[in-house]
Amino acid sequence: MSLRLDPWGHFAIEEYSKLFEQFGISPIDALIEKLPQEHYMFKRRIVFGHRDFDKWLSMLKKGEKVAVLTGFMPSGHTHLGHLILIEELRYLQSIGAHVKMAVADAEAYAVRRLPRDKTIEYGLEYIAHAIAWGLDPEKTEFYFQTAQEKEYYRLIQMFSRKITMAEMEAIYGEISPAKIIASLTQASDILHLQLDKYGGYKHVLVPVGADQDPHIRLTRDIADRFEHELGLKRPFSIYHKFIRGLDGKKMSSSKPDYAIFLLDDERTIRKKIMNALTGGRPTAEEQRRLGGDPSNCTVYELYMYLLYRNDKELLELYSDCRNGRILCGQCKRNAYELLIRVIKEHREKFESIYDPKYLKQYVVIPDF
Amino acid sequence: MSLRLDPWGHFAIEEYSKLFEQFGISPIDALIEKLPQEHYMFKRRIVFGHRDFDKWLSMLKKGEKVAVLTGFMPSGHTHLGHLILIEELRYLQSIGAHVKMAVADAEAYAVRRLPRDKTIEYGLEYIAHAIAWGLDPEKTEFYFQTAQEKEYYRLIQMFSRKITMAEMEAIYGEISPAKIIASLTQASDILHLQLDKYGGYKHVLVPVGADQDPHIRLTRDIADRFEHELGLKRPFSIYHKFIRGLDGKKMSSSKPDYAIFLLDDERTIRKKIMNALTGGRPTAEEQRRLGGDPSNCTVYELYMYLLYRNDKELLELYSDCRNGRILCGQCKRNAYELLIRVIKEHREKFESIYDPKYLKQYVVIPDF
């Protein structure tokens, strides 16, 4: 079976093969059976690689305190790409990890140069979506990078002592004061949970996209260098692929026509899906005869990443598409119906949660 | 009268003339008469230059809220060099300024690589000396850079956005992540008082040595760039000379034989003074005949910076030395007697103050 014919989307991992070879990221395959509870994102290789995830899992099984730290950039309204990460976190919480979620508002301000009030607004929206999607707010910690306590900033100061400009340049190419502070802030995000003050979680897993691996490597180096002084241990990481935008490129709030936002109205979602890039043929006749190509179809990705949790259903769709038994129009309408159902249910919960008065219980909202 | 013959020590300013010409620091001369209360450090040009100090003084006279921010590096036990700065602060407090004193412990750790526990110990010692010397602890704010609130760190993050690597390199030559964070931390030291949260002091004066002027320039640039966003105004500065060590070079705790520490015992102080570099002649006979050179005498500096507050006394000593009427041995013994009296009185107060339990009322002591 060639990679391109794999309904689980292994095909896209091909692009990531150099990560395995050059950077020492391990394929997730051998660990899928070791999960305490199966999850479609692992099985379908949406989560495709890891660093020392096996060790983290064995800590979890031993009943040690384990945590998950994730950060997200509050650069726009929450879209499906974010939701996939939230689902990953929900799963990791369900198997027993303590989850802590950082809003990278310092980075958004300093490096991305986003207006401050917007970064706070987007951050709160994201937190509200996470809670609405099923993260237990009583068990999850949320914070903004700009509203932490002094120990968190102390780490940034300390880390700066043991990192050189050459290392920074190797990671970031052209650097700036803002990038240096952002990267050390990110290291503090990942490592601060290990301090007693923040719970003393020594086994911290970071779910990231492969593009974030340089940060992980930097942070692992920093942990090594502060092992003696602060008792820090290397973080663990798992790597996920990103659901693509409806144009087949990275889903991003900077291209709103090709991203599905969780607060889009039905009409907008319908329009976006109907215009989505698919693996269909130029004519219905051709498609019936030759079949479609789900491996290059953004609508198929909606099913794979979110809409079909049942593998049998997904496999059937894959087969129907390949064999020309379903055309893109029908497939899109089905996706729309399923997605709207998911989003409607989600949004009902979201409405009551997305309220600063309510969220204030769970997160310190920065004031400037 | 040539500069070298000036009993007020103007001679040393010669070295600083390029500061006036190249960097736009103004001589203090015209402002001495404008001080609400005279002070020997200004009259003797120990404070020799300024940036916009006239404006700060007029704010003070108008009854506006004015503040003084100073930082010191906790790199060793407190010595006479520190005491001179403390006296400067005491004076500025007495004429109505709000005084805030930073312990640059983040910088000491990250850039100077000093052990953490030592930086805290030295910081507390310095604060205790400042209180014992007459800074009113009820009216003075003390803080460690590593034990501030989030708004202070927020400024560091924000400032990083509007500073380039080229600017950093122009100031520091070879830079490092630690230096970048230290310099932005210093900018936050100087500017954070302007935030409402920290008292809203818009007119902040920074007394520094001339070697610190690049920081002042950087901070003034940063203030300009955040005028709109944060309402920041440029800080004001005054520049002091440093009392030299007893070897005629910079007084520093790294050369303990030539620095007089406030906790040195009498025997040690006596020995150090008796060994001090003076402007004396090789023999007593020559000195009686030709006179000594107070302008190159570290003992004369003790009188000028600290021991003789009365100008007439200082002038007499100067004249006696120049005319060979006093020899170095006698002059040293006199200095020793005066200094011991000052230090004994000071130390009695210090003993009851230098106690973390007492100091905790006035400063948040960092815990790691």
Side-chain angles (χ1 to χ4, degrees):
Chain A
M1 187 163 79
S2 109
L3 279 174
R4 286 194 59 81
L5 291 179
D6 184 334
W8 308 135
H10 289 189
F11 47 84
I13 299 178
E14 229 173 346
E15 303 159 26
Y16 296 122
S17 63
K18 75 161 196 273
L19 290 172
F20 298 145
E21 288 153 23
Q22 291 180 18
F23 296 111
I25 293 176
S26 306
I28 202 73
D29 305 51
L31 301 184
I32 292 173
E33 295 300 310
K34 296 193 176 166
L35 293 169
Q37 214 177 286
E38 71 172 26
H39 190 268
Y40 74 95
M41 287 175 66
F42 287 83
K43 225 158 140 192
R44 297 176 187 175
R45 308 299 194 276
I46 293 170
V47 176
F48 68 90
H50 73 99
R51 286 187 192 272
D52 293 339
F53 184 49
D54 45 344
K55 292 183 191 154
W56 186 87
L57 280 176
S58 68
M59 292 299 162
L60 174 75
K61 275 175 199 159
K62 274 193 208 157
E64 301 264 329
K65 282 167 75 173
V66 297
V68 170
L69 185 286
T70 186
F72 88 99
M73 179 73 66
S75 57
H77 292 292
T78 312
H79 57 59
L80 286 186
H82 300 120
L83 192 67
I84 307 302
L85 176 57
I86 291 171
E87 168 58 20
E88 194 176 339
L89 297 173
R90 194 204 55 72
Y91 166 74
L92 293 165
Q93 183 171 70
S94 77
I95 61 173
H98 177 74
V99 173
K100 190 161 186 174
M101 194 187 278
V103 178
D105 64 327
E107 189 174 348
Y109 172 88
V111 183
R112 300 276 192 99
R113 297 171 172 260
L114 297 170
R116 179 71 176 133
D117 51 345
K118 282 286 165 196
T119 63
I120 296 171
E121 180 196 321
Y122 294 143
L124 290 176
E125 187 192 320
Y126 190 86
I127 292 169
H129 282 300
I131 296 172
W133 190 254
L135 271 169
D136 181 345
E138 302 294 340
K139 290 186 185 164
T140 312
E141 289 183 275
F142 303 98
Y143 71 95
F144 285 79
Q145 285 177 330
T146 61
Q148 274 280 40
E149 289 106 0
K150 60 181 187 292
E151 290 79 0
Y152 169 87
Y153 301 106
R154 173 86 189 111
L155 290 182
I156 298 170
Q157 295 167 330
M158 290 181 79
F159 295 164
S160 75
R161 170 164 161 171
K162 297 193 182 172
I163 288 295
T164 66
M165 291 309 265
E167 287 172 311
M168 284 285 172
E169 282 165 353
I171 292 168
Y172 298 98
E174 187 150 354
I175 51 175
S176 66
K179 279 184 188 170
I180 288 170
I181 288 189
S183 67
L184 296 177
T185 300
Q186 208 163 84
S188 181
D189 285 327
I190 294 171
L191 296 170
H192 78 286
L193 286 76
Q194 297 194 30
L195 302 181
D196 288 341
K197 155 99 187 179
Y198 294 104
Y201 292 95
K202 291 291 177 193
H203 313 296
V204 178
L205 176 69
V206 193
V208 289
D211 58 325
Q212 302 291 306
D213 188 55
H215 293 310
I216 299 291
R217 293 204 305 276
L218 176 74
T219 304
R220 285 166 70 96
D221 284 348
I222 289 174
D224 288 349
R225 292 169 201 179
F226 284 89
E227 189 181 0
H228 177 68
E229 199 166 349
L230 293 172
L232 296 185
K233 294 186 181 304
R234 291 179 167 197
F236 308 87
S237 50
I238 50 178
Y239 300 86
H240 50 250
K241 293 187 289 175
F242 295 102
I243 189 169
R244 288 181 298 166
L246 301 170
D247 58 351
K249 290 166 193 152
K250 197 183 174 196
M251 188 178 287
S252 159
S253 44
S254 62
K255 294 180 298 175
D257 289 347
Y258 305 110
I260 296 177
F261 296 96
L262 301 187
L263 299 183
D264 275 347
D265 61 34
E266 294 182 29
R267 208 185 135 86
T268 305
I269 292 177
R270 188 183 173 89
K271 207 177 126 197
K272 286 177 178 176
I273 291 182
M274 294 320 284
N275 288 331
L277 175 82
T278 71
R281 303 284 171 181
T283 68
E285 186 277 324
E286 269 183 88
Q287 182 143 352
R288 282 198 192 90
R289 185 160 46 87
L290 301 169
D293 179 10
S295 74
N296 196 25
C297 175
T298 65
V299 177
Y300 183 75
E301 281 192 22
L302 289 176
Y303 289 100
M304 187 174 74
Y305 277 76
L306 186 67
L307 299 176
Y308 276 167
R309 301 299 180 89
N310 183 309
D311 290 341
K312 204 165 144 270
E313 281 182 309
L314 189 67
L315 209 56
E316 265 173 29
L317 173 62
Y318 184 80
S319 162
D320 285 349
C321 175
R322 298 285 300 173
N323 296 312
R325 284 193 297 267
I326 187 168
L327 300 188
C328 291
Q330 185 58 46
C331 186
K332 282 173 168 178
R333 279 189 296 275
N334 294 349
Y336 166 74
E337 295 295 341
L338 285 169
L339 182 59
I340 279 301
R341 206 180 305 160
V342 170
I343 279 189
K344 257 189 170 165
E345 196 192 332
H346 172 73
R347 208 136 66 187
E348 269 167 39
K349 292 180 195 145
F350 174 83
E351 299 300 345
S352 65
I353 292 167
Y354 185 53
D355 173 356
K357 281 194 204 83
Y358 172 85
L359 291 172
K360 248 171 29 188
Q361 301 174 75
Y362 300 114
V363 63
V364 176
I365 302 173
D367 42 18
F368 87 103
Chain B
M1 188 163 78
S2 106
L3 279 174
R4 286 192 59 80
L5 292 178
D6 184 334
W8 306 136
H10 289 186
F11 48 85
I13 298 179
E14 230 173 346
E15 303 158 26
Y16 296 125
S17 64
K18 75 161 196 271
L19 290 172
F20 298 144
E21 288 153 23
Q22 292 180 17
F23 296 112
I25 293 176
S26 306
I28 202 74
D29 304 51
L31 301 184
I32 293 173
E33 295 300 309
K34 296 193 175 166
L35 293 169
Q37 215 177 286
E38 70 172 26
H39 191 268
Y40 73 96
M41 287 174 67
F42 287 83
K43 227 159 139 192
R44 297 177 187 175
R45 309 298 194 278
I46 293 170
V47 177
F48 67 90
H50 74 99
R51 285 186 192 273
D52 294 340
F53 184 48
D54 44 343
K55 291 182 192 156
W56 186 87
L57 280 175
S58 68
M59 292 300 163
L60 174 74
K61 277 175 197 160
K62 274 192 209 158
E64 302 263 330
K65 283 168 76 171
V66 297
V68 170
L69 186 285
T70 188
F72 88 99
M73 178 74 65
S75 56
H77 292 292
T78 312
H79 57 60
L80 286 187
H82 300 119
L83 192 66
I84 306 301
L85 176 58
I86 291 172
E87 168 58 20
E88 195 177 338
L89 297 173
R90 195 204 54 72
Y91 166 74
L92 292 166
Q93 183 171 69
S94 77
I95 61 173
H98 177 74
V99 172
K100 190 161 186 174
M101 194 187 278
V103 178
D105 64 327
E107 189 173 348
Y109 171 87
V111 183
R112 300 276 192 99
R113 298 170 173 261
L114 298 170
R116 179 70 177 135
D117 51 346
K118 282 286 165 195
T119 64
I120 295 171
E121 181 196 321
Y122 295 144
L124 290 176
E125 187 193 320
Y126 189 86
I127 292 169
H129 282 300
I131 296 172
W133 189 253
L135 271 170
D136 181 346
E138 301 295 340
K139 290 186 185 163
T140 313
E141 290 183 274
F142 304 98
Y143 71 95
F144 285 79
Q145 285 177 329
T146 61
Q148 273 281 39
E149 289 105 359
K150 61 180 187 292
E151 290 80 1
Y152 169 88
Y153 302 107
R154 172 87 188 110
L155 289 183
I156 299 170
Q157 296 168 330
M158 291 181 79
F159 294 165
S160 75
R161 171 165 161 171
K162 297 192 182 173
I163 288 294
T164 66
M165 289 311 262
E167 287 172 311
M168 285 284 171
E169 282 164 353
I171 291 169
Y172 298 99
E174 189 151 353
I175 51 176
S176 66
K179 280 185 188 170
I180 288 170
I181 288 188
S183 66
L184 296 178
T185 300
Q186 208 162 86
S188 181
D189 286 328
I190 295 172
L191 296 170
H192 78 287
L193 286 76
Q194 297 194 30
L195 301 182
D196 288 341
K197 155 101 187 176
Y198 293 104
Y201 292 95
K202 291 291 176 191
H203 313 297
V204 179
L205 176 70
V206 193
V208 289
D211 59 324
Q212 301 291 307
D213 188 56
H215 293 311
I216 298 291
R217 293 202 306 276
L218 176 74
T219 304
R220 286 166 68 96
D221 284 348
I222 290 175
D224 288 349
R225 292 169 201 178
F226 284 89
E227 188 181 0
H228 177 68
E229 199 167 347
L230 293 172
L232 296 184
K233 295 186 181 306
R234 291 180 167 196
F236 308 87
S237 49
I238 50 178
Y239 300 85
H240 49 250
K241 293 187 288 175
F242 294 102
I243 189 169
R244 288 182 296 167
L246 301 170
D247 58 351
K249 291 166 192 152
K250 199 184 172 196
M251 188 178 287
S252 158
S253 44
S254 64
K255 295 180 299 176
D257 289 347
Y258 304 110
I260 295 176
F261 295 96
L262 301 186
L263 298 183
D264 275 347
D265 61 34
E266 294 181 29
R267 208 184 135 85
T268 305
I269 291 177
R270 188 184 174 88
K271 206 176 123 196
K272 285 179 179 176
I273 291 182
M274 295 319 284
N275 288 331
L277 174 82
T278 71
R281 304 282 170 182
T283 67
E285 186 277 322
E286 270 184 87
Q287 181 142 354
R288 283 198 191 90
R289 183 159 48 85
L290 301 169
D293 179 9
S295 74
N296 196 24
C297 175
T298 65
V299 177
Y300 183 74
E301 280 191 22
L302 288 176
Y303 288 99
M304 188 174 73
Y305 276 76
L306 185 67
L307 299 177
Y308 277 167
R309 301 300 180 89
N310 183 310
D311 290 341
K312 207 167 140 269
E313 281 183 309
L314 189 68
L315 208 55
E316 266 173 29
L317 174 62
Y318 184 80
S319 163
D320 286 349
C321 175
R322 297 287 300 173
N323 297 311
R325 286 193 297 266
I326 187 168
L327 300 188
C328 292
Q330 185 59 45
C331 186
K332 283 173 167 176
R333 280 189 295 277
N334 294 349
Y336 167 74
E337 296 295 342
L338 285 169
L339 182 60
I340 280 300
R341 206 179 304 159
V342 169
I343 280 189
K344 256 189 171 165
E345 197 193 332
H346 172 74
R347 209 136 65 186
E348 269 168 38
K349 292 179 196 146
F350 174 83
E351 300 299 345
S352 65
I353 292 167
Y354 186 53
D355 173 356
K357 281 194 204 83
Y358 172 84
L359 291 172
K360 249 172 26 188
Q361 301 173 75
Y362 300 114
V363 63
V364 177
I365 302 174
D367 42 18
F368 87 101

